[in-house]
Amino acid sequence: MGFRPGTQLTLDNALKIIMVKSANDVSWAIGESLGGSVEGFADMMNETSRRIGMHESRWYNPNGLPDPRQWTSARDMAVLARALMRDFPQNRDLFSIPAIQFGKAVMANHNGLLGRYAGADGMKTGFICSGGFNVVASATRNGRRIIAVVMGQPSARERDLKTADLFDYAFGQSTGWTSQNLDALPASVSATPPDMRPYICGGRKAPAIDEGPGAIAGNGAEGAIAQFMGQTAATSPAAAMAAFSTAAVRNRALPPRAPLQPIAVWIGRSPAEGQTLLAEQENAAKTAAAEARAAKLEAAKAKREAAQEARAAKLAQAKERAAEARANAAANPRRSRSPPPSPPRRHRRRPPASRNPASRRARPPTPLRLPTPP
């Protein structure tokens, strides 16, 4: 939810928030408040799991965020759902809240079956990349309540469709003393849970597997359900994803969701106190935003002034150098004035003499003066 440290919540509002929004920070706060610490609350979870018959679950944090040591199974989730309905009937409405409203924000439940599948009345969804899209869902028809657990799916839509198919199958079966009950379900065939991250968040499409342990190759929904119920569990992530790689599932969709009727939640001890605290937080947020804008404008102004000062200093230095050059020129005129350059000398080229001897003029012989005799 992004609450500030120190925010107070009633346990009732905290439970409503995590049931609808799956808020990790609120789950963490619940664990620290009830268990004294996250580790202490994990010990309480593990002790309760052993007491009610959850033999394949190990807990290390209260919000389900990734931890390689923490895992559970579909059977254990069904055992937990049954125990919650049996031991806490007064809190049954927590699992069917369609949406919550905190202030002006309305947040719908992640459970896509509520308001879309007839009789759906719970319970809780979950998602991490290593585990895929999961849901523990419940539905009631004619006084009969069914719990369906679907885990490790590639999308919320396919998870919801698969759960709806399981409900359809279960409501179509008759009950009796010979029916298999939850306590008789065998343990998981896998010693450790498969890591679905490469298939869920690895940017790859789910592999299409037509055959294999637990693979569903049926074309129609009824055939797929019957084959699913009749075969053993998948022994690999690829086989577990096979049920959702058929066109029969990809081309289907649940009906539109009914109009939401959100339940109000608040911080503090009462709605009035919550409104006051929320108004104070909104005013503080507005003040902080205004201060941030003012600081940004002030920083931009300071940057512009610094740039103007730099340009003015540069211009002053240029003027100072020019004035110094003029002063030096006035103090030393001879050195400063250089003689004007002389014009370049031009050399006339004499025309070449004719190469024809006949064209040359004969020069008269130079007379010789003889000495006069005495």
Coordinates of all heavy atoms in Angstrom, one line a residue, residues 176-263:
G176 N -21.1 -38.8 -1.7 CA -21.5 -40.0 -1.0 C -20.3 -40.5 -0.1 O -19.2 -39.9 -0.1
W177 N -20.6 -41.6 0.6 CA -19.6 -42.1 1.5 C -18.4 -42.7 0.7 O -17.3 -42.8 1.3 CB -20.2 -43.2 2.4 CG -21.2 -42.7 3.3 CD1 -22.6 -42.7 3.2 CD2 -21.0 -42.0 4.5 NE1 -23.2 -42.1 4.3 CE2 -22.2 -41.6 5.1 CE3 -19.8 -41.6 5.2 CZ2 -22.4 -40.9 6.3 CZ3 -19.9 -40.9 6.4 CH2 -21.2 -40.5 6.9
T178 N -18.6 -43.0 -0.5 CA -17.5 -43.6 -1.3 C -16.6 -42.6 -1.9 O -15.6 -42.9 -2.5 CB -18.1 -44.6 -2.4 OG1 -18.9 -43.8 -3.2 CG2 -18.8 -45.7 -1.7
S179 N -17.0 -41.3 -1.9 CA -16.2 -40.3 -2.5 C -14.9 -40.1 -1.7 O -14.8 -40.2 -0.5 CB -17.0 -39.0 -2.6 OG -18.2 -39.1 -3.3
Q180 N -13.9 -39.7 -2.5 CA -12.6 -39.5 -1.9 C -12.6 -38.1 -1.2 O -13.1 -37.1 -1.7 CB -11.5 -39.4 -3.0 CG -10.1 -39.3 -2.4 CD -9.0 -39.3 -3.5 OE1 -9.3 -38.9 -4.6 NE2 -7.8 -39.8 -3.2
N181 N -12.1 -38.1 0.1 CA -12.1 -36.9 0.8 C -10.7 -36.3 0.8 O -9.7 -36.8 0.3 CB -12.6 -37.1 2.3 CG -11.8 -38.1 3.0 OD1 -10.6 -38.3 2.7 ND2 -12.4 -38.8 4.0
L182 N -10.6 -35.1 1.4 CA -9.3 -34.3 1.3 C -8.2 -35.0 2.1 O -7.1 -35.0 1.6 CB -9.6 -32.9 1.9 CG -8.4 -32.0 2.0 CD1 -7.8 -31.7 0.6 CD2 -8.8 -30.6 2.6
D183 N -8.5 -35.6 3.2 CA -7.5 -36.3 4.0 C -6.9 -37.5 3.3 O -5.8 -37.9 3.6 CB -8.1 -36.7 5.4 CG -8.5 -35.5 6.2 OD1 -7.9 -34.5 6.1 OD2 -9.6 -35.6 6.9
A184 N -7.7 -38.0 2.4 CA -7.2 -39.2 1.7 C -6.3 -38.9 0.5 O -5.8 -39.8 -0.2 CB -8.3 -40.1 1.2
L185 N -6.2 -37.6 0.1 CA -5.4 -37.3 -1.0 C -3.9 -37.6 -0.8 O -3.4 -37.4 0.3 CB -5.5 -35.8 -1.3 CG -6.8 -35.3 -1.9 CD1 -6.8 -33.8 -2.1 CD2 -7.1 -36.0 -3.2
P186 N -3.2 -38.2 -1.8 CA -1.8 -38.6 -1.6 C -0.9 -37.3 -1.5 O -1.3 -36.2 -2.0 CB -1.5 -39.4 -2.8 CG -2.4 -38.9 -3.9 CD -3.7 -38.5 -3.1
A187 N 0.3 -37.5 -1.0 CA 1.2 -36.4 -1.0 C 1.8 -36.2 -2.4 O 1.6 -37.0 -3.3 CB 2.4 -36.8 0.0
S188 N 2.4 -35.0 -2.5 CA 2.9 -34.6 -3.8 C 4.0 -35.6 -4.3 O 4.8 -36.2 -3.4 CB 3.5 -33.2 -3.8 OG 2.5 -32.3 -3.4
V189 N 4.1 -35.9 -5.6 CA 5.1 -36.8 -6.1 C 6.5 -36.1 -6.2 O 7.5 -36.8 -6.3 CB 4.7 -37.3 -7.5 CG1 3.4 -38.1 -7.3 CG2 4.5 -36.2 -8.4
S190 N 6.5 -34.8 -6.1 CA 7.8 -34.1 -6.3 C 8.3 -33.8 -4.9 O 7.6 -33.4 -4.0 CB 7.6 -32.8 -7.0 OG 7.1 -33.0 -8.3
A191 N 9.6 -34.1 -4.7 CA 10.3 -33.8 -3.4 C 10.4 -32.3 -3.2 O 10.4 -31.9 -2.0 CB 11.7 -34.5 -3.4
T192 N 10.6 -31.6 -4.2 CA 10.7 -30.1 -4.1 C 9.8 -29.5 -5.2 O 9.6 -30.1 -6.2 CB 12.2 -29.6 -4.3 OG1 12.6 -30.1 -5.6 CG2 13.1 -30.2 -3.2
P193 N 9.3 -28.3 -4.9 CA 8.5 -27.6 -5.9 C 9.2 -27.2 -7.2 O 10.4 -26.8 -7.1 CB 7.9 -26.4 -5.2 CG 8.9 -26.1 -4.1 CD 9.5 -27.4 -3.7
P194 N 8.6 -27.3 -8.3 CA 9.3 -26.9 -9.6 C 9.4 -25.3 -9.6 O 8.5 -24.6 -9.0 CB 8.4 -27.4 -10.7 CG 7.0 -27.5 -10.0 CD 7.3 -27.8 -8.6
D195 N 10.4 -24.9 -10.2 CA 10.6 -23.4 -10.4 C 10.0 -23.0 -11.7 O 10.5 -23.4 -12.8 CB 12.1 -23.1 -10.4 CG 12.3 -21.6 -10.4 OD1 11.4 -20.8 -10.4 OD2 13.5 -21.2 -10.5
M196 N 8.9 -22.2 -11.7 CA 8.2 -21.8 -12.9 C 8.7 -20.5 -13.5 O 8.1 -20.1 -14.5 CB 6.7 -21.7 -12.5 CG 6.1 -22.8 -11.8 SD 6.2 -24.4 -12.7 CE 5.0 -24.0 -14.1
R197 N 9.7 -20.0 -12.9 CA 10.2 -18.7 -13.4 C 10.5 -18.7 -14.9 O 10.1 -17.7 -15.6 CB 11.4 -18.2 -12.6 CG 12.0 -16.9 -13.1 CD 13.2 -16.5 -12.2 NE 12.7 -16.1 -10.9 CZ 12.3 -14.9 -10.6 NH1 12.3 -13.9 -11.5 NH2 12.0 -14.6 -9.4
P198 N 11.2 -19.6 -15.5 CA 11.5 -19.6 -16.9 C 10.2 -19.6 -17.8 O 10.2 -19.1 -18.9 CB 12.3 -20.8 -17.2 CG 12.9 -21.2 -15.8 CD 11.8 -20.8 -14.8
Y199 N 9.1 -20.2 -17.3 CA 7.9 -20.2 -18.0 C 7.0 -19.1 -17.8 O 6.2 -18.7 -18.6 CB 7.2 -21.6 -17.7 CG 8.0 -22.8 -18.0 CD1 8.7 -23.4 -17.0 CD2 8.1 -23.3 -19.3 CE1 9.5 -24.5 -17.2 CE2 8.9 -24.4 -19.5 CZ 9.6 -25.0 -18.5 OH 10.4 -26.1 -18.7
I200 N 7.0 -18.5 -16.6 CA 6.1 -17.4 -16.2 C 6.7 -16.1 -16.6 O 6.1 -15.2 -17.2 CB 5.8 -17.5 -14.7 CG1 5.2 -18.9 -14.4 CG2 4.8 -16.4 -14.4 CD1 4.0 -19.2 -15.1
C201 N 8.0 -15.8 -16.2 CA 8.6 -14.5 -16.3 C 9.8 -14.5 -17.2 O 10.6 -13.6 -17.2 CB 9.0 -13.9 -15.0 SG 7.6 -13.8 -13.8
G202 N 10.1 -15.6 -17.9 CA 11.3 -15.7 -18.8 C 11.1 -15.3 -20.2 O 12.0 -15.5 -21.0
G203 N 10.0 -14.7 -20.5 CA 9.8 -14.3 -21.9 C 9.5 -15.4 -22.9 O 9.6 -15.2 -24.1
R204 N 9.2 -16.6 -22.4 CA 8.9 -17.7 -23.3 C 7.4 -18.1 -23.2 O 6.8 -17.9 -22.2 CB 9.8 -18.9 -22.9 CG 11.2 -18.6 -22.7 CD 11.9 -19.9 -22.2 NE 13.3 -19.6 -21.9 CZ 14.1 -20.5 -21.3 NH1 13.7 -21.7 -21.0 NH2 15.4 -20.2 -21.0
K205 N 7.0 -18.8 -24.3 CA 5.6 -19.3 -24.3 C 5.6 -20.7 -23.6 O 6.6 -21.4 -23.6 CB 5.1 -19.4 -25.7 CG 4.9 -18.1 -26.4 CD 4.3 -18.3 -27.7 CE 4.0 -17.0 -28.4 NZ 3.5 -17.1 -29.8
A206 N 4.5 -21.0 -23.0 CA 4.4 -22.3 -22.4 C 4.6 -23.4 -23.4 O 4.0 -23.4 -24.5 CB 3.0 -22.5 -21.7
P207 N 5.4 -24.4 -23.1 CA 5.6 -25.5 -24.1 C 4.4 -26.3 -24.3 O 3.6 -26.6 -23.4 CB 6.7 -26.4 -23.4 CG 6.6 -26.1 -22.0 CD 6.1 -24.7 -21.8
A208 N 4.1 -26.7 -25.5 CA 3.0 -27.5 -25.9 C 3.3 -29.0 -25.8 O 4.1 -29.5 -26.5 CB 2.5 -27.2 -27.3
I209 N 2.8 -29.6 -24.8 CA 3.1 -31.1 -24.5 C 1.8 -31.8 -24.7 O 0.8 -31.6 -24.0 CB 3.6 -31.3 -23.1 CG1 4.9 -30.5 -22.9 CG2 3.8 -32.7 -22.8 CD1 5.5 -30.6 -21.6
D210 N 1.8 -32.7 -25.6 CA 0.5 -33.5 -25.9 C 0.4 -34.7 -25.0 O -0.7 -35.2 -24.7 CB 0.5 -34.0 -27.4 CG 0.5 -32.8 -28.3 OD1 -0.1 -31.8 -27.9 OD2 1.0 -32.9 -29.4
E211 N 1.5 -35.3 -24.6 CA 1.5 -36.5 -23.8 C 2.5 -36.3 -22.6 O 3.4 -35.5 -22.7 CB 1.8 -37.8 -24.6 CG 0.8 -38.0 -25.7 CD 1.1 -39.3 -26.4 OE1 2.1 -39.9 -26.1 OE2 0.3 -39.6 -27.3
G212 N 2.3 -37.2 -21.6 CA 3.3 -37.1 -20.5 C 2.5 -37.2 -19.2 O 1.3 -37.2 -19.2
P213 N 3.2 -37.4 -18.1 CA 2.6 -37.6 -16.8 C 1.8 -36.3 -16.4 O 2.3 -35.3 -16.3 CB 3.7 -37.8 -15.8 CG 4.9 -38.2 -16.7 CD 4.7 -37.6 -18.0
G214 N 0.5 -36.5 -16.3 CA -0.4 -35.4 -15.9 C -0.7 -34.4 -17.0 O -1.4 -33.4 -16.7
A215 N -0.2 -34.6 -18.2 CA -0.5 -33.7 -19.3 C -2.0 -33.8 -19.7 O -2.6 -34.8 -19.7 CB 0.4 -34.0 -20.5
I216 N -2.5 -32.7 -20.1 CA -3.9 -32.6 -20.5 C -3.9 -32.4 -22.0 O -3.6 -31.3 -22.5 CB -4.7 -31.5 -19.8 CG1 -4.7 -31.8 -18.3 CG2 -6.1 -31.4 -20.3 CD1 -5.3 -30.7 -17.5
A217 N -4.4 -33.3 -22.8 CA -4.4 -33.2 -24.2 C -5.8 -33.1 -24.8 O -5.9 -33.1 -26.0 CB -3.6 -34.4 -24.9
G218 N -6.8 -33.1 -24.0 CA -8.2 -33.1 -24.4 C -8.4 -31.8 -25.1 O -7.9 -30.7 -24.8
N219 N -9.3 -31.8 -26.1 CA -9.7 -30.6 -26.9 C -10.8 -29.8 -26.2 O -10.8 -28.5 -26.2 CB -10.2 -30.9 -28.3 CG -9.0 -31.5 -29.1 OD1 -7.9 -31.1 -28.9 ND2 -9.4 -32.5 -30.0
G220 N -11.7 -30.4 -25.6 CA -12.8 -29.7 -24.9 C -12.6 -29.6 -23.4 O -11.7 -30.3 -22.8
A221 N -13.3 -28.7 -22.8 CA -13.1 -28.4 -21.4 C -13.5 -29.7 -20.6 O -12.8 -30.0 -19.6 CB -14.0 -27.2 -20.9
E222 N -14.6 -30.4 -20.9 CA -15.0 -31.5 -20.2 C -14.0 -32.6 -20.2 O -13.7 -33.3 -19.3 CB -16.4 -32.0 -20.7 CG -17.5 -30.9 -20.5 CD -18.8 -31.4 -21.0 OE1 -18.8 -32.6 -21.5 OE2 -19.8 -30.7 -20.8
G223 N -13.5 -32.9 -21.5 CA -12.5 -33.9 -21.6 C -11.2 -33.6 -20.8 O -10.6 -34.4 -20.3
A224 N -10.8 -32.3 -20.8 CA -9.6 -31.9 -20.1 C -9.8 -32.1 -18.6 O -8.9 -32.6 -17.9 CB -9.4 -30.4 -20.4
I225 N -11.0 -31.7 -18.1 CA -11.2 -31.9 -16.7 C -11.2 -33.4 -16.3 O -10.6 -33.8 -15.3 CB -12.5 -31.3 -16.3 CG1 -12.4 -29.8 -16.4 CG2 -12.9 -31.6 -14.9 CD1 -11.4 -29.2 -15.5
A226 N -11.9 -34.2 -17.1 CA -11.9 -35.6 -16.8 C -10.5 -36.2 -16.8 O -10.1 -37.0 -15.9 CB -12.8 -36.4 -17.8
Q227 N -9.7 -35.8 -17.8 CA -8.4 -36.4 -17.9 C -7.5 -35.8 -16.7 O -6.7 -36.6 -16.2 CB -7.7 -36.0 -19.2 CG -6.5 -36.8 -19.6 CD -6.1 -36.6 -21.0 OE1 -6.7 -35.8 -21.7 NE2 -5.1 -37.3 -21.4
F228 N -7.7 -34.6 -16.4 CA -7.0 -34.0 -15.2 C -7.3 -34.8 -13.9 O -6.4 -35.1 -13.2 CB -7.3 -32.5 -15.1 CG -6.7 -31.9 -13.9 CD1 -5.4 -31.4 -13.9 CD2 -7.4 -31.7 -12.7 CE1 -4.8 -30.8 -12.8 CE2 -6.8 -31.1 -11.6 CZ -5.5 -30.7 -11.7
M229 N -8.6 -35.1 -13.7 CA -8.9 -35.7 -12.5 C -8.5 -37.2 -12.4 O -8.3 -37.8 -11.4 CB -10.4 -35.6 -12.2 CG -11.0 -34.2 -12.1 SD -10.3 -33.3 -10.8 CE -11.1 -34.2 -9.4
G230 N -8.3 -37.8 -13.6 CA -8.0 -39.2 -13.7 C -6.6 -39.5 -13.7 O -6.2 -40.7 -13.5
Q231 N -5.7 -38.5 -14.0 CA -4.3 -38.8 -14.1 C -3.5 -38.4 -12.9 O -4.1 -37.7 -12.0 CB -3.7 -38.2 -15.4 CG -4.3 -38.8 -16.6 CD -3.5 -38.3 -17.9 OE1 -2.6 -37.4 -17.7 NE2 -3.9 -38.7 -19.0
T232 N -2.3 -38.7 -12.8 CA -1.4 -38.3 -11.7 C -1.0 -36.9 -11.9 O -1.1 -36.3 -13.0 CB -0.2 -39.3 -11.6 OG1 0.5 -39.2 -12.8 CG2 -0.6 -40.7 -11.3
A233 N -0.4 -36.3 -10.8 CA 0.1 -35.0 -10.9 C 1.3 -34.8 -11.8 O 2.0 -35.8 -12.1 CB 0.5 -34.5 -9.5
A234 N 1.5 -33.6 -12.4 CA 2.6 -33.4 -13.3 C 3.9 -33.5 -12.5 O 4.0 -33.1 -11.3 CB 2.5 -32.0 -13.9
T235 N 4.9 -34.0 -13.2 CA 6.2 -34.1 -12.5 C 7.2 -33.1 -13.0 O 8.4 -33.2 -12.6 CB 6.8 -35.5 -12.8 OG1 6.9 -35.7 -14.2 CG2 5.9 -36.6 -12.1
S236 N 6.8 -32.2 -13.8 CA 7.7 -31.1 -14.3 C 6.9 -29.9 -14.6 O 5.7 -29.9 -14.8 CB 8.5 -31.6 -15.6 OG 7.5 -31.7 -16.6
P237 N 7.6 -28.7 -14.6 CA 6.9 -27.5 -14.9 C 6.3 -27.5 -16.3 O 5.2 -27.0 -16.5 CB 8.0 -26.4 -14.8 CG 9.0 -27.0 -13.9 CD 9.0 -28.5 -14.2
A238 N 7.0 -28.1 -17.3 CA 6.5 -28.1 -18.6 C 5.2 -28.9 -18.7 O 4.2 -28.5 -19.4 CB 7.5 -28.7 -19.6
A239 N 5.2 -30.1 -18.0 CA 3.9 -30.9 -18.0 C 2.8 -30.1 -17.3 O 1.6 -30.2 -17.7 CB 4.2 -32.2 -17.4
A240 N 3.1 -29.4 -16.2 CA 2.1 -28.7 -15.5 C 1.5 -27.6 -16.3 O 0.3 -27.3 -16.2 CB 2.7 -28.1 -14.2
M241 N 2.2 -27.0 -17.3 CA 1.7 -26.0 -18.1 C 0.9 -26.5 -19.3 O 0.3 -25.7 -20.0 CB 2.9 -25.1 -18.6 CG 3.7 -24.5 -17.5 SD 2.9 -23.2 -16.7 CE 2.9 -21.9 -17.9
A242 N 1.0 -27.8 -19.6 CA 0.4 -28.3 -20.8 C -1.1 -28.0 -20.8 O -1.7 -27.9 -21.9 CB 0.6 -29.8 -20.9
A243 N -1.8 -28.0 -19.7 CA -3.2 -27.8 -19.7 C -3.7 -26.4 -20.2 O -4.8 -26.3 -20.6 CB -3.8 -27.9 -18.3
F244 N -2.7 -25.5 -20.3 CA -3.1 -24.1 -20.7 C -2.5 -23.8 -22.0 O -2.4 -22.6 -22.3 CB -2.7 -23.2 -19.6 CG -3.3 -23.5 -18.3 CD1 -2.6 -24.3 -17.4 CD2 -4.6 -23.1 -18.0 CE1 -3.2 -24.6 -16.2 CE2 -5.2 -23.4 -16.8 CZ -4.5 -24.2 -15.9
S245 N -2.0 -24.7 -22.8 CA -1.4 -24.4 -24.1 C -2.3 -24.8 -25.2 O -1.9 -24.9 -26.4 CB -0.1 -25.1 -24.2 OG -0.3 -26.5 -24.1
T246 N -3.6 -25.1 -24.9 CA -4.6 -25.5 -26.0 C -5.4 -24.3 -26.4 O -5.7 -23.4 -25.6 CB -5.5 -26.6 -25.5 OG1 -6.2 -26.2 -24.4 CG2 -4.7 -27.9 -25.1
A247 N -5.9 -24.3 -27.6 CA -6.7 -23.2 -28.1 C -8.0 -23.2 -27.4 O -8.6 -22.1 -27.3 CB -6.9 -23.4 -29.6
A248 N -8.5 -24.3 -26.8 CA -9.8 -24.3 -26.1 C -9.8 -23.4 -24.9 O -10.8 -22.8 -24.6 CB -10.1 -25.7 -25.7
V249 N -8.6 -23.3 -24.3 CA -8.5 -22.4 -23.1 C -8.2 -21.0 -23.5 O -8.7 -20.0 -23.0 CB -7.4 -22.9 -22.1 CG1 -7.2 -21.9 -21.0 CG2 -7.8 -24.3 -21.6
R250 N -7.3 -20.8 -24.5 CA -6.9 -19.5 -24.9 C -8.0 -18.7 -25.5 O -8.0 -17.5 -25.4 CB -5.7 -19.6 -25.9 CG -4.4 -20.0 -25.3 CD -3.3 -19.7 -26.2 NE -3.4 -20.4 -27.5 CZ -2.9 -21.6 -27.8 NH1 -2.2 -22.2 -26.9 NH2 -3.1 -22.2 -29.0
N251 N -9.0 -19.3 -26.1 CA -10.0 -18.6 -26.8 C -11.3 -18.4 -25.9 O -12.3 -17.9 -26.4 CB -10.5 -19.4 -28.1 CG -9.3 -19.4 -29.1 OD1 -8.5 -18.5 -29.1 ND2 -9.3 -20.5 -29.9
R252 N -11.2 -18.8 -24.7 CA -12.3 -18.6 -23.8 C -12.1 -17.5 -22.9 O -11.0 -17.0 -22.6 CB -12.5 -19.9 -23.0 CG -13.0 -21.1 -23.8 CD -12.9 -22.4 -22.9 NE -13.6 -22.2 -21.7 CZ -13.3 -22.8 -20.6 NH1 -12.2 -23.6 -20.5 NH2 -14.0 -22.6 -19.5
A253 N -13.2 -17.0 -22.3 CA -13.2 -15.9 -21.3 C -14.4 -16.0 -20.4 O -15.5 -16.4 -20.8 CB -13.1 -14.5 -22.0
L254 N -14.2 -15.5 -19.2 CA -15.3 -15.5 -18.2 C -16.2 -14.2 -18.6 O -15.7 -13.3 -19.2 CB -14.8 -15.4 -16.8 CG -14.1 -16.6 -16.2 CD1 -13.5 -16.3 -14.9 CD2 -15.1 -17.8 -16.1
P255 N -17.4 -14.2 -18.1 CA -18.3 -13.1 -18.4 C -17.8 -11.8 -17.7 O -17.0 -11.9 -16.8 CB -19.7 -13.5 -17.9 CG -19.4 -14.6 -16.9 CD -18.2 -15.3 -17.4
P256 N -18.3 -10.7 -18.1 CA -17.8 -9.4 -17.4 C -18.2 -9.5 -15.9 O -19.1 -10.1 -15.5 CB -18.6 -8.3 -18.1 CG -19.0 -8.9 -19.4 CD -19.2 -10.4 -19.2
R257 N -17.4 -8.8 -15.2 CA -17.6 -8.7 -13.7 C -18.7 -7.8 -13.3 O -19.0 -6.8 -14.0 CB -16.3 -8.2 -13.0 CG -16.4 -8.0 -11.5 CD -15.0 -7.7 -10.9 NE -14.3 -8.9 -10.6 CZ -13.1 -8.9 -10.0 NH1 -12.5 -7.7 -9.8 NH2 -12.5 -10.0 -9.7
A258 N -19.5 -8.2 -12.3 CA -20.6 -7.4 -11.9 C -20.1 -6.1 -11.2 O -18.9 -6.0 -10.9 CB -21.4 -8.2 -10.8
P259 N -20.9 -5.1 -11.2 CA -20.5 -3.8 -10.6 C -19.9 -4.0 -9.2 O -20.5 -4.8 -8.3 CB -21.7 -3.0 -10.6 CG -22.6 -3.5 -11.6 CD -22.3 -5.0 -11.7
L260 N -18.8 -3.4 -8.9 CA -18.1 -3.5 -7.6 C -18.8 -2.7 -6.5 O -19.3 -1.6 -6.8 CB -16.7 -3.1 -7.7 CG -15.8 -3.8 -8.7 CD1 -14.4 -3.2 -8.8 CD2 -15.7 -5.3 -8.3
Q261 N -18.8 -3.3 -5.3 CA -19.3 -2.6 -4.2 C -18.2 -2.6 -3.1 O -18.1 -3.5 -2.3 CB -20.6 -3.3 -3.6 CG -21.8 -3.3 -4.6 CD -23.0 -4.0 -4.0 OE1 -22.9 -4.6 -3.0 NE2 -24.1 -3.9 -4.8
P262 N -17.4 -1.6 -3.2 CA -16.2 -1.6 -2.4 C -16.5 -1.4 -0.9 O -17.5 -0.8 -0.5 CB -15.4 -0.4 -2.9 CG -16.4 0.5 -3.5 CD -17.4 -0.4 -4.1
I263 N -15.6 -2.0 0.0 CA -15.7 -1.8 1.4 C -14.7 -0.8 1.8 O -13.5 -0.8 1.4 CB -15.4 -3.2 2.1 CG1 -16.4 -4.2 1.6 CG2 -15.5 -3.0 3.6 CD1 -17.8 -3.9 1.9

